[in-house]
């Protein structure tokens, strides 16, 4: 026995329970990787191929036969071939009759064909039991053993017994089968690997849109305006000052947008007097991506922290400080300590530090490995109560930063207010509505509605 086959035998669990032979059509990347994994798990494997020539790439313990011969040796046949080559299977219809065909194929585009590949296979070879599985697991993951990200295998099929047989194989490979129902679900399963961060699209596009808007807004106010009116070149603000303005603004608005759908949902429920009618689609979708919105907001807040840390080493900041000190020294003057200003500045920093720490905690508790370890009440406490506290702290941080500049006409340039003032609009709206909803006259009916009570329902006396 060679070294490789010894290792494979050692990994096979309980080989005394002899496993049924599995046939794989196609000796490509996926067929070979799956064959190797099946052999490791104790399954005898036979490949059906156009060429029966021996190849060093094919697992040593597997047989390579013609499609007809291989199909005769197993009740389960995994079709590891691209959909466009399925047509040759019609000539094997008689041998394949009554067998379980596992469709593992993926497409290049979402909804590429009118019917799923698995349904097409079932139409092509009637009399077979087609099961869709394994398409979300990559050949590379099977071969390298790094199955952490793709441990789930979505399975669907019309024949319960066939589906069960495939799910048993999935389990034996150390993977987790997820029954998705009948073959009608195959199209959706085939679309899974083609989706590009579906839940992240809206938060990322929104944050990029906000960042672009505030970039041009700050560019006009902080670079173009001084250049036009004072002939001062502050174009270097583009590197640090403007990003450090954009990051906290986008973070605060996104954080408020995490909580805005919740208060809108509460208003809708109060208005309708029931929780049993569906929210509008846009609100449903918005609610579903709150976690992603929060994590993008956290990333912007983190960037703000990093940009703030480098402020003291910036050449512009050092130049301004040296100039102030020198002009005071030349005038032989000192500035008295302004305790109000010191209070404001320390409070602003303290609120920022506390806000960011809680923000970080919210981010950590939204990770599946952490949220799986807290119960529903703990999770709600962190995400709702501490979440609102974070929003209050971050809004207060921005308000204190502004101080009384809100009222100063000189802070308006071309009638444009400072960008941070705009960032306060959404958080203030959310906090005011939330505050109003806490009043018992609204909170009590809302709690009852959420417990299933309906305003217009007829209850027996
Ligand atoms: P591949 O490397 O191109 O292999 C496909 C195999 O199909 C070939 O090696 C060949 O095997 C057979 N074949 C090609 N043309 C044929 C024809 N005209 N008639 C009959 N057989 C033909 O592709 P793959 O990456 O292994 O993918 C195979 C299937 O698994 C695809 O449907 C793919 O969507 C799916 N899949 C792949 C991955 C992955 O990570 N690669 C992941 C999930 C699902 P023989 O030379 O032995 O006949």
């Amino acid at each position: 026995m060679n070294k490789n086959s010894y290792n494979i035998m050692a990994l096979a669990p309980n080989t005394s329970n002899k496993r049924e032979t599995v046939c794989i059509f196609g000796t490509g990347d996926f067929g070979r990787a799956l064959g190797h994994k099946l052999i490791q798990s104790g399954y005898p494997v036979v490949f059906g191929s156009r060429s029966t020539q021996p190849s060093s790439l094919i697992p040593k313990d597997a047989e390579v036969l013609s499609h007809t011969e291989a199909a005769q040796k197993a009740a389960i046949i995994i079709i590891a071939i691209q959909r466009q080559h399925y047509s040759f299977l019609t000539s094997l219809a008689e041998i394949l009759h009554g067998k379980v065909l596992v469709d593992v194929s993926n497409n290049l585009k979402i909804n590429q064909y009118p019917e799923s590949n698995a349904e097409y296979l079932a139409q092509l070879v009637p009399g077979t039991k087609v099961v869709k599985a394994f398409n979300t697991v990559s050949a590379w993951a099977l071969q390298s053993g790094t199955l952490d990200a793709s441990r789930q295998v979505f399975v669907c099929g019309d024949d319960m017994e066939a589906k069960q047989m495939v799910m048993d194989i999935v389990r034996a490979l150390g993977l987790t089968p997820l029954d998705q129902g009948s073959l009608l679900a195959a199209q959706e399963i085939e679309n899974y690997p083609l989706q590009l961060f579906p839940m992240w699209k809206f938060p990322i596009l929104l944050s990029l849109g906000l960042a672009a808007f505030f970039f041009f807004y700050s560019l006009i106010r902080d670079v173009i305006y001084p250049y036009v009116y004072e002939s001062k070149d502050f174009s270097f603000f583009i590197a640090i000052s403007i990003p450090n303005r954009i990051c906290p603004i986008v973070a605060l608005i996104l954080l408020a947008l995490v909580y805005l759908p919740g208060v809108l949902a509460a208003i809708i429920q109060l208005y309708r007097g029931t929780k049993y009618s569906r929210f509008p689609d846009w609100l449903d979708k918005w609610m579903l991506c709150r976690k992603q919105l929060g994590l993008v907001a956290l990333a912007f807040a983190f960037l703000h922290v990093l940009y703030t840390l480098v402020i003291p080493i910036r050449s512009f900041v050092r130049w301004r400080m040296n100039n102030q000190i020198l002009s005071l020294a030349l005038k032989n003057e000192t500035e008295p300590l302004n305790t109000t200003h010191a209070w404001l500045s320390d409070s602003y920093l303290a609120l920022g530090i506390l806000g960011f720490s809680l923000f970080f905690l919210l981010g950590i508790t939204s990770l599946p490995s952490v949220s799986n370890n807290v119960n529903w009440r703990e999770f709600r406490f962190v995400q709702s109560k501490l979440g609102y506290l974070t929003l209050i702290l971050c809004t207060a941080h921005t308000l204190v930063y502004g101080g009384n500049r809100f009222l100063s006409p000189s802070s308006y340039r071309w009638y444009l207010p400072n960008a941070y003032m705009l960032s306060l609009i959404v958080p203030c709206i959310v906090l005011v509505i939330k505050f109003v909803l806490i009043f018992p006259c609204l909170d009590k009916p809302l709690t009852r509605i959420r417990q299933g009570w309906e305003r217009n329902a007829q209850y027996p006396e």
Side-chain angles (χ1 to χ4, degrees), residues 379-393:
F379 183 77
R380 274 209 50 177
F381 173 78
V382 174
Q383 293 299 329
S384 177
K385 301 276 188 304
L386 291 189
Y388 271 108
L389 185 57
T390 311
L391 185 60
I392 291 170
L393 288 170

Side-chain angles (χ1 to χ4, degrees), residues 26-31 48-51 67 79-83 85-86 88 104-106 134-140:
T27 55
D29 292 340
F30 194 74
S49 174
R50 291 167 302 168
S51 155
H67 292 116
I79 314 291
I81 296 172
Q82 313 281 356
R83 169 189 169 132
H85 303 308
Y86 280 2
F88 84 98
V104 301
S105 63
N106 283 317
F134 291 113
N135 66 310
T136 52
V137 184
S138 75
W140 176 81

Side-chain angles (χ1 to χ4, degrees), residues 264-279:
L264 291 180
I267 294 172
I268 291 175
Q269 285 177 335
L270 275 172
Y271 174 74
R272 290 177 177 170
T274 175
K275 71 166 186 177
Y276 295 113
S277 57
R278 266 188 63 114
F279 290 129

Side-chain angles (χ1 to χ4, degrees), residues 352-393:
I353 293 168
L354 289 174
F356 181 70
S357 314
L358 282 186
F359 209 154
F360 197 65
L361 187 71
L362 291 181
I364 290 177
T365 42
S366 73
L367 298 175
S369 52
V370 180
S371 58
N372 287 346
N373 285 309
V374 292
N375 65 31
W376 174 236
R377 200 165 167 210
E378 290 161 346
F379 183 77
R380 274 209 50 177
F381 173 78
V382 174
Q383 293 299 329
S384 177
K385 301 276 188 304
L386 291 189
Y388 271 108
L389 185 57
T390 311
L391 185 60
I392 291 170
L393 288 170

